[in-house]
Amino acid sequence: MRLVDCLAQGLDVRFQCQYCGMERTWTRQDFLGRRLRGRLAWTLARSQASVFCPQRGCGGHRPVVRLMKGGYHDDHADTPEARRTHVVTMLLDAGVLPEEVGL
């Protein structure tokens, strides 16, 4: 699963350090923010491999990844075409070309 797929399905990605327990969650705002825009085409495994614990002094790598239901799923997008249109609109509104993330 790619990060853009998580965005399309309305999922948040929670990373938890396996060493100290520190948690960080990527939400829709994070996905569409400047920092993660370039990573939207990445798979969850690649993202997991590139994330380190933000806790000072820990620096643990390869955190535990959990997918959570986010609060931004479009309930009106009940068909695959409508969901795709919703995601493309979100990306374009954020200044991301759908081709850049594999859509």
Side-chain angles (χ1 to χ4, degrees), residues 3-16:
L3 292 177
V4 73
D5 298 329
C6 294
L7 179 67
Q9 295 178 22
L11 299 173
D12 293 341
V13 179
R14 175 175 284 172
F15 296 97
Q16 181 179 11

Side-chain angles (χ1 to χ4, degrees), residues 2-84:
R2 298 175 303 158
L3 292 177
V4 73
D5 298 329
C6 294
L7 179 67
Q9 295 178 22
L11 299 173
D12 293 341
V13 179
R14 175 175 284 172
F15 296 97
Q16 181 179 11
C17 179
Q18 56 185 328
Y19 302 103
C20 73
M22 175 79 170
E23 292 183 353
R24 176 163 179 105
T25 303
W26 289 353
T27 63
R28 177 176 68 172
Q29 271 187 310
D30 297 313
F31 290 138
L32 298 176
R34 292 192 187 277
R35 199 185 79 183
L36 293 181
R37 283 183 194 173
R39 296 182 184 181
L40 282 174
W42 286 15
T43 62
L44 284 175
R46 183 175 176 189
S47 299
Q48 180 185 26
S50 71
V51 172
F52 291 88
C53 180
Q55 183 70 26
R56 178 173 280 183
C58 178
H61 61 284
R62 295 200 84 46
V64 177
V65 176
R66 291 188 180 101
L67 298 178
M68 306 176 338
K69 182 77 172 157
Y72 55 88
H73 187 69
D74 184 17
D75 293 329
H76 301 291
D78 53 358
T79 64
E81 296 82 21
R83 276 186 236 122
R84 179 174 165 71

